[in-house]
Amino acid sequence: MSYAVNGKPIEILLVEDNPADVRLTREALKEGNVKKNLHVARDGEEALTFLGRKGDFKNVPRPDLILLDLNLPKRNGREVLEVIKGSEDLKRIPVVVLTVSNHEEDIQDTYNKHANCYITKPTDLDQFFKVALDIENFWLKTVSLPSNGIK
Amino acid sequence: MKKEHVGKGVQTHYTILVVEDDEGLNNLIKKSLQRAGFRTHGALNGKEALGFLMKDQNAILLLDFMLPDMTGKQLIEVLTERNCDIPFIMMTGQGDEKIAVEMMKLGAWDYIIKDANLIEILPQIIKRVVNGLVHERKLKAAEQALRESEERYKTLVKTSPDAVTATDLEGNISYVSERTLELHGFENAKELLGKSAFELVALEDREKAAKNLAKTLDKGAIRNAEYNLLRKDGSNFIGELSAALVKDAEGKPNAFIATTRDITERKRAEQALNESKERLLRFMESATDIFILFDSGLNFVDINKAGLKTWGVNKEEVVGKNLSDVSPDLKETGRYGQYMDVIKSGKPFFIDDTVPNPKFGNKHLAVKAFKVGDGLGVIISDITEHKNAEENLKKTMQELERSNKDLEQFVYIASHDLQEPLRTMSSYTKLLKKRYKGKLDSDADEFIEFIVDGSTRMQNLIKDLLEFSRVDKKGRKFKESESQEALRQAVNNLQATIEETSATITTEELPKIFADDVQLVRLFQNLIDNAIKFHGNVPPQVHISAQRREDEWIFSVRDNGLGLDPKYSDKVFTIFQKLHAGEEYRGTGIGLAICKKIVERHCGRIWVDSEPGKGSTFYFSIPSGAIP
């Protein structure tokens, strides 16, 4: 498994403007037993700067998994998703869309833009924690992720 | 010449049959008569005479008494037997007067003695007999004519629809026809004969009747006098009477003949017609609409009060005038031509006119023009108020629609945007509870519990409210949907609750309907959820079925739950209406309101039939055809 192969922690980028949700996600992920670093981008632009390792983010690692909210200030989640999946460098990074919306159109649209999966944020805390655990179990434990930096 | 003339007038009708066995005398007689212009035939015996008479009965017999084969008397008797009434004149020898008398008794017209004067006087005698015959025939014809005429009058009187009554000059009844009896309600003529005809006239009209009687005596006749007449039972009817004075042979008046008919019905019809005309006139004059009648050349024939008032004119000022003289501008606007077209084509013409009025604002008029006979009828109604009201209504409707949309938008945005912070609140209170329960004091634990509970309920409320606002806003297009499949999904969604409560869901075959299938699932889900929710001590049983009624399907969801008081049957569908204490049963009070909204979006109705303790049956109808 990814984290076991080289012993490095898994790098996760959470793109989320709501600090409460950021904290909640952090708390939820804490409950898991995978060694990971959670990076946070507060809007679409910051997310793209992070991924491009520009400005303040020159030395950040490339994330192994992206948790992407759709409603973001400046550049929204759909744009971010389009840039990621349109980029030779970034397109292999799994993107989990995590949003409050359960609209059919949003689901269709994000899969059309090659999102790897779509999850509606549960309104209930226990459910939310369970989803976080499920994400960790599946994306960080079950699946094999591509190695960083290899095109 | 005189002889010729005498004979000519009668000879065409009669042949003089000379029956005489003395051939010489026979010829002599014939010649003499022929000279006098008579047609003659000779017979030498009785047999010959009878033979001739069989062919021609239009004859006068000049008969000798003594014939070779029979006597003249025998001949007459044979003829009488044969019903041949042939006039005959006897010829007898001198001294045979006894025979002559006998023959006269048998009907001889005359007798002649065969002496020297015979030939000379014969034509005169024949002539007299012929004249006598002609006279007799005329008399008979006249009598016959009289008899026939009398018969005709009798029949006429009998069959006449009018009652015929005759009186003397004082008015005492001398004859009544069957119809008279019938008209006045009598059975027998005896009841009336000899009585005064005035007794058949109502009291108030007797003076008039007496005057008319005098007038008839004076002028000879009166026609169509109207009276209130009486029946035997005292009831009244209106009669129309014509009478004539009858004079005797010397021209002296001696009777009246009157014909009477019952005109009650006619009078009533006339009165009804008059009343109808009167009503119609009053209607037209009282109408607030303008009525105008034009002739075929658009000249005013009539106009009602409303019309006169509108134009501020008197009737005399417009009647007879042409429309173009009264309103010259109508020719320019084309209206005059349009009216003429109606007269020509017979097709009515309707238009709503707006007439600018600087003082009162625009006036709206509805004009209807239609053909009346050869002319034109025009009705003009002032519909200004109606139009204004219509416009106001339209504006109000638009405003209402907009405000409704605004409200929906508000509810949607509010519920949508409230979700986010609420989720945060709810999540963190739960996290607080998760991490710090039992680590603070017991008060803190209780407070946290209340916050968690409140935020959870608020979250459910907002979620349902959002869904409620989405029924119309986010509804899908209707398509043919299997309601069975929608029910299956609904039951599937409720699996957890069903297991938790050990509920039994049963169903009958459900139809295909035209619907928004997602909303159909929600509809079943909410109704079944509701049915399970309010169960008593026994496990809930829910039965779903559908029945076709005319052009709609009636679905029913029946449960064995608590039931509800019928006075709440309408309230349950109102948003936020909870009939049960919140502690006991979960729910936001929006579920059924959502159902109602969904059903109404499908042009259906929803209602509940329930009694406390006996369970509830919720019904909803969906049109069976495609919804426009």
Side-chain angles (χ1 to χ4, degrees), chain B residues 391 477 480:
Chain B
E391 240 144 67
K477 270 194 175 171
E480 201 178 59

Side-chain angles (χ1 to χ4, degrees), chain B residues 310-330:
Chain B
T310 304
W311 275 284
V313 288
N314 291 321
K315 210 173 201 171
E316 296 73 37
E317 291 176 66
V318 286
V319 168
K321 277 198 185 150
N322 195 274
L323 175 61
S324 61
D325 296 331
V326 179
S327 298
D329 54 318
L330 291 186

Side-chain angles (χ1 to χ4, degrees), chain B residues 249-290:
Chain B
E250 283 117 52
K252 225 176 90 189
N254 69 349
F256 293 111
I257 280 198
T259 58
T260 318
R261 60 181 64 166
D262 185 344
I263 58 164
T264 312
E265 272 309 308
R266 199 182 78 199
K267 274 278 160 188
R268 198 173 291 155
E270 272 174 17
Q271 199 184 349
L273 188 67
N274 279 337
E275 277 171 12
S276 159
K277 276 182 186 166
E278 180 66 30
R279 264 200 305 273
L280 200 60
L281 191 69
R282 250 198 334 262
F283 168 76
M284 301 256 288
E285 287 304 307
S286 318
T288 47
D289 286 356
I290 298 167

Side-chain angles (χ1 to χ4, degrees), chain B residues 283-486:
Chain B
F283 168 76
M284 301 256 288
E285 287 304 307
S286 318
T288 47
D289 286 356
I290 298 167
F291 290 82
I292 313 171
L293 189 64
F294 296 102
D295 66 11
S296 58
L298 285 185
N299 300 307
F300 281 85
V301 174
D302 212 341
I303 176 167
N304 71 345
K305 264 188 199 153
L308 295 171
K309 200 175 142 198
T310 304
W311 275 284
V313 288
N314 291 321
K315 210 173 201 171
E316 296 73 37
E317 291 176 66
V318 286
V319 168
K321 277 198 185 150
N322 195 274
L323 175 61
S324 61
D325 296 331
V326 179
S327 298
D329 54 318
L330 291 186
K331 272 205 164 161
E332 286 164 37
T333 61
R335 184 58 49 79
Y336 191 88
Q338 286 165 326
Y339 283 168
M340 284 310 275
D341 285 346
V342 174
I343 294 175
K344 266 183 230 154
S345 67
K347 277 186 197 152
F349 165 72
F350 307 107
I351 196 166
D352 283 357
D353 251 352
T354 304
V355 182
N357 187 324
K359 226 177 179 178
F360 306 107
N362 287 352
K363 268 227 172 285
H364 297 284
L365 301 175
V367 179
K368 302 175 196 79
F370 45 90
K371 205 167 174 182
V372 179
D374 294 334
L376 182 80
V378 177
I379 299 177
I380 302 170
S381 322
D382 188 338
I383 51 164
T384 308
E385 268 182 42
H386 173 77
K387 274 267 173 186
N388 288 346
E390 205 172 69
E391 240 144 67
N392 282 342
L393 188 67
K394 217 183 197 173
K395 261 186 219 160
T396 311
M397 287 288 286
Q398 278 169 351
E399 267 164 34
L400 198 65
E401 216 167 280
R402 206 186 49 229
S403 100
N404 232 349
K405 263 200 183 137
D406 286 353
L407 196 65
E408 260 175 31
Q409 186 68 13
F410 169 77
V411 170
Y412 176 72
I413 289 173
S415 50
H416 184 264
D417 289 2
L418 280 174
Q419 265 192 325
E420 266 301 294
L422 202 58
R423 194 174 54 82
T424 306
M425 266 176 63
S426 161
S427 298
Y428 278 95
T429 47
K430 276 191 181 163
L431 192 57
L432 192 64
K433 182 180 160 190
K434 196 178 160 97
R435 298 258 169 97
Y436 295 97
K437 191 174 160 75
K439 289 184 182 160
L440 304 170
D441 62 14
S442 62
D443 273 354
D445 280 355
E446 199 181 339
F447 298 165
I448 289 169
E449 200 57 56
F450 281 129
I451 298 170
V452 168
D453 186 49
S455 63
T456 307
R457 274 193 298 167
M458 192 160 173
Q459 230 173 348
N460 286 336
L461 265 174
I462 293 293
K463 202 179 84 219
D464 282 353
L465 193 60
L466 183 64
E467 195 178 313
F468 180 79
S469 77
R470 274 181 171 176
V471 171
D472 285 331
K473 206 177 156 68
K474 301 281 175 178
R476 290 158 182 245
K477 270 194 175 171
F478 295 163
K479 58 177 189 191
E480 201 178 59
S481 312
E482 289 282 1
S483 49
Q484 196 85 55
E485 173 57 21

